[in-house]
Amino acid sequence: MKGSPALLSAGKNLFDVILKLPKNGVGSVVRRKHWPHQSHWTISNVALSVKPSVEGKNHGKAWGSFTWLGVNKNVDPVKVRGAHKKVWTIYDPAIHSQPKDASAAQQATAGPSGASLDVSAGEAAAAAG
C-alpha cells in the first residue's frame, strides 16, 4: 500500500534525530516514544558510520548515561541499545515530565479569567470582615 499513513509516519532512529543537533547530538537528551516519564538517555559520545548515508539510513554507535524513572542507572557512559530502532525523539523535560492529566486538573481549579480560585486564609478573613 504505497502512500498509506502507516508507511508515511515511520519513526526515526537515534542518529536521524541527533545528527540535526549541534555537535552531532553530544549533550542532547533523547528517549524512546513509549518510555515512561523521566526515562531517557543523555548522549556523551557519537561514532558515525563511514558509509555514505541516505535520508533515514544514518548509522553508527552512541554512548551515554541512562536514566530510568528519574534514577541514573550508570556512572560511566555505556553504549545506547536499540539506537537503530525507529522510535526515538528528543526529550524535553518540560513536556514529558508532567502527566497529561496535570493540565486538566490545573484548568479545573482556575476561574473564568484563568486566575486560581484558591483564596488564602488572610484574604478570606479580610473579605468577611
Side-chain angles (χ1 to χ4, degrees), residues 33-61:
K33 293 177 183 179
H34 63 275
W35 280 356
H37 301 293
Q38 300 179 358
S39 300
H40 58 271
W41 281 93
T42 303
I43 304 299
S44 61
N45 191 16
V46 176
L48 300 174
S49 175
V50 295
K51 297 177 185 176
S53 177
V54 177
E55 182 65 30
K57 300 290 184 184
N58 293 312
H59 291 328
K61 294 179 184 178

mmCIF file of all heavy atoms in Angstrom, residues 33-61:
data_model
loop_
_atom_site.group_PDB
_atom_site.id
_atom_site.type_symbol
_atom_site.label_atom_id
_atom_site.label_comp_id
_atom_site.label_asym_id
_atom_site.label_seq_id
_atom_site.Cartn_x
_atom_site.Cartn_y
_atom_site.Cartn_z
ATOM 1 N N LYS A 33 9.813 6.788 22.285
ATOM 2 C CA LYS A 33 8.484 7.382 22.388
ATOM 3 C C LYS A 33 7.586 6.691 23.408
ATOM 4 O O LYS A 33 6.740 7.324 24.017
ATOM 5 C CB LYS A 33 7.808 7.388 21.023
ATOM 6 C CG LYS A 33 8.484 8.315 20.050
ATOM 7 C CD LYS A 33 7.827 8.245 18.692
ATOM 8 C CE LYS A 33 8.570 9.139 17.717
ATOM 9 N NZ LYS A 33 7.982 9.084 16.379
ATOM 10 N N HIS A 34 7.754 5.409 23.627
ATOM 11 C CA HIS A 34 6.856 4.666 24.511
ATOM 12 C C HIS A 34 7.354 4.558 25.949
ATOM 13 O O HIS A 34 6.696 3.949 26.777
ATOM 14 C CB HIS A 34 6.613 3.268 23.941
ATOM 15 C CG HIS A 34 7.858 2.442 23.855
ATOM 16 N ND1 HIS A 34 8.711 2.524 22.776
ATOM 17 C CD2 HIS A 34 8.403 1.549 24.712
ATOM 18 C CE1 HIS A 34 9.726 1.695 22.982
ATOM 19 N NE2 HIS A 34 9.553 1.098 24.138
ATOM 20 N N TRP A 35 8.499 5.151 26.271
ATOM 21 C CA TRP A 35 9.033 5.066 27.634
ATOM 22 C C TRP A 35 8.241 5.922 28.604
ATOM 23 O O TRP A 35 7.672 6.942 28.228
ATOM 24 C CB TRP A 35 10.487 5.507 27.650
ATOM 25 C CG TRP A 35 11.448 4.462 27.182
ATOM 26 C CD1 TRP A 35 11.176 3.188 26.822
ATOM 27 C CD2 TRP A 35 12.849 4.637 27.000
ATOM 28 N NE1 TRP A 35 12.318 2.545 26.426
ATOM 29 C CE2 TRP A 35 13.362 3.419 26.527
ATOM 30 C CE3 TRP A 35 13.717 5.691 27.172
ATOM 31 C CZ2 TRP A 35 14.708 3.227 26.260
ATOM 32 C CZ3 TRP A 35 15.055 5.508 26.902
ATOM 33 C CH2 TRP A 35 15.543 4.282 26.449
ATOM 34 N N PRO A 36 8.256 5.529 29.904
ATOM 35 C CA PRO A 36 7.545 6.329 30.912
ATOM 36 C C PRO A 36 8.250 7.672 31.163
ATOM 37 O O PRO A 36 9.382 7.879 30.742
ATOM 38 C CB PRO A 36 7.585 5.445 32.160
ATOM 39 C CG PRO A 36 8.689 4.494 31.950
ATOM 40 C CD PRO A 36 8.847 4.323 30.472
ATOM 41 N N HIS A 37 7.558 8.551 31.864
ATOM 42 C CA HIS A 37 8.095 9.864 32.195
ATOM 43 C C HIS A 37 9.417 9.729 32.947
ATOM 44 O O HIS A 37 9.622 8.774 33.689
ATOM 45 C CB HIS A 37 7.104 10.641 33.060
ATOM 46 C CG HIS A 37 5.787 10.825 32.390
ATOM 47 N ND1 HIS A 37 5.625 11.597 31.273
ATOM 48 C CD2 HIS A 37 4.566 10.322 32.660
ATOM 49 C CE1 HIS A 37 4.372 11.569 30.888
ATOM 50 N NE2 HIS A 37 3.706 10.788 31.707
ATOM 51 N N GLN A 38 10.308 10.683 32.775
ATOM 52 C CA GLN A 38 11.617 10.758 33.431
ATOM 53 C C GLN A 38 12.529 9.587 33.069
ATOM 54 O O GLN A 38 13.377 9.187 33.862
ATOM 55 C CB GLN A 38 11.456 10.851 34.944
ATOM 56 C CG GLN A 38 10.682 12.068 35.387
ATOM 57 C CD GLN A 38 10.519 12.122 36.884
ATOM 58 O OE1 GLN A 38 10.938 11.240 37.607
ATOM 59 N NE2 GLN A 38 9.881 13.174 37.357
ATOM 60 N N SER A 39 12.393 9.041 31.872
ATOM 61 C CA SER A 39 13.258 7.962 31.398
ATOM 62 C C SER A 39 13.870 8.398 30.072
ATOM 63 O O SER A 39 13.149 8.726 29.133
ATOM 64 C CB SER A 39 12.454 6.678 31.217
ATOM 65 O OG SER A 39 11.876 6.286 32.449
ATOM 66 N N HIS A 40 15.226 8.428 30.015
ATOM 67 C CA HIS A 40 15.900 8.961 28.838
ATOM 68 C C HIS A 40 17.389 8.609 28.837
ATOM 69 O O HIS A 40 17.919 8.110 29.822
ATOM 70 C CB HIS A 40 15.746 10.488 28.795
ATOM 71 C CG HIS A 40 16.294 11.170 30.011
ATOM 72 N ND1 HIS A 40 15.523 11.389 31.122
ATOM 73 C CD2 HIS A 40 17.512 11.653 30.301
ATOM 74 C CE1 HIS A 40 16.253 11.988 32.044
ATOM 75 N NE2 HIS A 40 17.472 12.153 31.566
ATOM 76 N N TRP A 41 18.033 8.886 27.712
ATOM 77 C CA TRP A 41 19.478 8.801 27.566
ATOM 78 C C TRP A 41 20.033 10.210 27.427
ATOM 79 O O TRP A 41 19.456 11.042 26.722
ATOM 80 C CB TRP A 41 19.864 8.035 26.297
ATOM 81 C CG TRP A 41 19.788 6.551 26.404
ATOM 82 C CD1 TRP A 41 18.729 5.765 26.068
ATOM 83 C CD2 TRP A 41 20.803 5.666 26.849
ATOM 84 N NE1 TRP A 41 19.028 4.454 26.282
ATOM 85 C CE2 TRP A 41 20.310 4.365 26.771
ATOM 86 C CE3 TRP A 41 22.099 5.863 27.327
ATOM 87 C CZ2 TRP A 41 21.047 3.255 27.138
ATOM 88 C CZ3 TRP A 41 22.840 4.754 27.690
ATOM 89 C CH2 TRP A 41 22.317 3.473 27.604
ATOM 90 N N THR A 42 21.185 10.478 28.060
ATOM 91 C CA THR A 42 21.935 11.710 27.839
ATOM 92 C C THR A 42 23.160 11.309 27.031
ATOM 93 O O THR A 42 24.021 10.576 27.522
ATOM 94 C CB THR A 42 22.339 12.365 29.169
ATOM 95 O OG1 THR A 42 21.144 12.604 29.921
ATOM 96 C CG2 THR A 42 23.062 13.680 28.919
ATOM 97 N N ILE A 43 23.243 11.755 25.796
ATOM 98 C CA ILE A 43 24.291 11.328 24.863
ATOM 99 C C ILE A 43 25.616 11.995 25.209
ATOM 100 O O ILE A 43 25.686 13.216 25.355
ATOM 101 C CB ILE A 43 23.897 11.661 23.406
ATOM 102 C CG1 ILE A 43 22.539 11.040 23.053
ATOM 103 C CG2 ILE A 43 24.989 11.224 22.434
ATOM 104 C CD1 ILE A 43 22.493 9.537 23.133
ATOM 105 N N SER A 44 26.688 11.178 25.334
ATOM 106 C CA SER A 44 28.012 11.725 25.662
ATOM 107 C C SER A 44 29.028 11.531 24.543
ATOM 108 O O SER A 44 30.032 12.231 24.508
ATOM 109 C CB SER A 44 28.544 11.101 26.951
ATOM 110 O OG SER A 44 28.686 9.710 26.796
ATOM 111 N N ASN A 45 28.785 10.579 23.633
ATOM 112 C CA ASN A 45 29.729 10.324 22.546
ATOM 113 C C ASN A 45 28.985 9.681 21.384
ATOM 114 O O ASN A 45 28.090 8.866 21.593
ATOM 115 C CB ASN A 45 30.857 9.407 23.030
ATOM 116 C CG ASN A 45 31.985 9.318 22.039
ATOM 117 O OD1 ASN A 45 32.097 10.129 21.130
ATOM 118 N ND2 ASN A 45 32.835 8.315 22.203
ATOM 119 N N VAL A 46 29.365 10.070 20.156
ATOM 120 C CA VAL A 46 28.743 9.513 18.954
ATOM 121 C C VAL A 46 29.841 9.147 17.975
ATOM 122 O O VAL A 46 30.751 9.934 17.735
ATOM 123 C CB VAL A 46 27.785 10.535 18.297
ATOM 124 C CG1 VAL A 46 27.219 9.990 16.999
ATOM 125 C CG2 VAL A 46 26.668 10.910 19.246
ATOM 126 N N ALA A 47 29.779 7.930 17.428
ATOM 127 C CA ALA A 47 30.692 7.485 16.372
ATOM 128 C C ALA A 47 29.832 7.129 15.169
ATOM 129 O O ALA A 47 29.075 6.161 15.201
ATOM 130 C CB ALA A 47 31.512 6.285 16.828
ATOM 131 N N LEU A 48 29.948 7.929 14.111
ATOM 132 C CA LEU A 48 29.128 7.705 12.924
ATOM 133 C C LEU A 48 29.756 6.677 12.008
ATOM 134 O O LEU A 48 30.979 6.542 11.958
ATOM 135 C CB LEU A 48 28.943 9.015 12.175
ATOM 136 C CG LEU A 48 28.270 10.113 12.968
ATOM 137 C CD1 LEU A 48 28.265 11.404 12.168
ATOM 138 C CD2 LEU A 48 26.866 9.708 13.337
ATOM 139 N N SER A 49 28.916 5.979 11.259
ATOM 140 C CA SER A 49 29.391 5.037 10.263
ATOM 141 C C SER A 49 30.016 5.811 9.111
ATOM 142 O O SER A 49 29.574 6.908 8.771
ATOM 143 C CB SER A 49 28.220 4.208 9.755
ATOM 144 O OG SER A 49 28.626 3.373 8.709
ATOM 145 N N VAL A 50 31.065 5.253 8.490
ATOM 146 C CA VAL A 50 31.735 5.935 7.385
ATOM 147 C C VAL A 50 31.050 5.660 6.056
ATOM 148 O O VAL A 50 31.424 6.224 5.041
ATOM 149 C CB VAL A 50 33.225 5.526 7.289
ATOM 150 C CG1 VAL A 50 33.965 6.002 8.513
ATOM 151 C CG2 VAL A 50 33.373 4.028 7.130
ATOM 152 N N LYS A 51 30.026 4.808 6.045
ATOM 153 C CA LYS A 51 29.291 4.518 4.813
ATOM 154 C C LYS A 51 28.496 5.750 4.398
ATOM 155 O O LYS A 51 28.015 6.493 5.241
ATOM 156 C CB LYS A 51 28.334 3.351 5.032
ATOM 157 C CG LYS A 51 29.022 2.063 5.364
ATOM 158 C CD LYS A 51 27.991 0.984 5.630
ATOM 159 C CE LYS A 51 28.672 -0.282 6.093
ATOM 160 N NZ LYS A 51 27.698 -1.311 6.453
ATOM 161 N N PRO A 52 28.342 5.966 3.096
ATOM 162 C CA PRO A 52 27.502 7.088 2.657
ATOM 163 C C PRO A 52 26.085 6.912 3.188
ATOM 164 O O PRO A 52 25.560 5.807 3.216
ATOM 165 C CB PRO A 52 27.520 7.006 1.136
ATOM 166 C CG PRO A 52 28.551 6.011 0.782
ATOM 167 C CD PRO A 52 28.903 5.220 1.997
ATOM 168 N N SER A 53 25.498 7.999 3.607
ATOM 169 C CA SER A 53 24.183 7.934 4.228
ATOM 170 C C SER A 53 23.089 8.377 3.260
ATOM 171 O O SER A 53 23.277 9.258 2.450
ATOM 172 C CB SER A 53 24.173 8.831 5.453
ATOM 173 O OG SER A 53 22.911 8.840 6.032
ATOM 174 N N VAL A 54 21.963 7.721 3.376
ATOM 175 C CA VAL A 54 20.759 8.099 2.654
ATOM 176 C C VAL A 54 19.780 8.571 3.728
ATOM 177 O O VAL A 54 19.818 8.089 4.856
ATOM 178 C CB VAL A 54 20.180 6.886 1.883
ATOM 179 C CG1 VAL A 54 18.886 7.246 1.193
ATOM 180 C CG2 VAL A 54 21.198 6.344 0.913
ATOM 181 N N GLU A 55 18.883 9.515 3.412
ATOM 182 C CA GLU A 55 17.934 10.016 4.403
ATOM 183 C C GLU A 55 17.204 8.850 5.071
ATOM 184 O O GLU A 55 16.665 7.982 4.407
ATOM 185 C CB GLU A 55 16.914 10.942 3.735
ATOM 186 C CG GLU A 55 15.915 11.539 4.704
ATOM 187 C CD GLU A 55 16.533 12.479 5.714
ATOM 188 O OE1 GLU A 55 17.545 13.135 5.402
ATOM 189 O OE2 GLU A 55 16.013 12.550 6.831
ATOM 190 N N GLY A 56 17.220 8.835 6.397
ATOM 191 C CA GLY A 56 16.579 7.768 7.146
ATOM 192 C C GLY A 56 17.443 6.529 7.306
ATOM 193 O O GLY A 56 16.999 5.529 7.835
ATOM 194 N N LYS A 57 18.681 6.575 6.834
ATOM 195 C CA LYS A 57 19.558 5.414 6.915
ATOM 196 C C LYS A 57 20.857 5.749 7.657
ATOM 197 O O LYS A 57 21.895 5.184 7.389
ATOM 198 C CB LYS A 57 19.917 4.914 5.507
ATOM 199 C CG LYS A 57 18.717 4.504 4.690
ATOM 200 C CD LYS A 57 18.098 3.243 5.203
ATOM 201 C CE LYS A 57 16.958 2.820 4.308
ATOM 202 N NZ LYS A 57 16.252 1.677 4.778
ATOM 203 N N ASN A 58 20.830 6.703 8.566
ATOM 204 C CA ASN A 58 22.019 7.063 9.335
ATOM 205 C C ASN A 58 22.340 5.950 10.325
ATOM 206 O O ASN A 58 21.445 5.420 10.985
ATOM 207 C CB ASN A 58 21.781 8.378 10.074
ATOM 208 C CG ASN A 58 21.641 9.537 9.121
ATOM 209 O OD1 ASN A 58 22.441 9.694 8.225
ATOM 210 N ND2 ASN A 58 20.616 10.344 9.312
ATOM 211 N N HIS A 59 23.629 5.612 10.416
ATOM 212 C CA HIS A 59 24.060 4.531 11.291
ATOM 213 C C HIS A 59 25.282 4.960 12.095
ATOM 214 O O HIS A 59 25.950 5.920 11.758
ATOM 215 C CB HIS A 59 24.422 3.279 10.484
ATOM 216 C CG HIS A 59 23.256 2.607 9.842
ATOM 217 N ND1 HIS A 59 21.996 2.597 10.379
ATOM 218 C CD2 HIS A 59 23.154 1.912 8.690
ATOM 219 C CE1 HIS A 59 21.184 1.919 9.603
ATOM 220 N NE2 HIS A 59 21.864 1.505 8.555
ATOM 221 N N GLY A 60 25.548 4.220 13.140
ATOM 222 C CA GLY A 60 26.712 4.477 13.964
ATOM 223 C C GLY A 60 26.532 3.852 15.327
ATOM 224 O O GLY A 60 25.747 2.910 15.512
ATOM 225 N N LYS A 61 27.269 4.391 16.290
ATOM 226 C CA LYS A 61 27.170 3.956 17.680
ATOM 227 C C LYS A 61 27.103 5.196 18.549
ATOM 228 O O LYS A 61 27.663 6.237 18.203
ATOM 229 C CB LYS A 61 28.387 3.118 18.073
ATOM 230 C CG LYS A 61 28.476 1.803 17.328
ATOM 231 C CD LYS A 61 29.703 1.035 17.744
ATOM 232 C CE LYS A 61 29.810 -0.242 16.912
ATOM 233 N NZ LYS A 61 31.021 -1.006 17.236
#
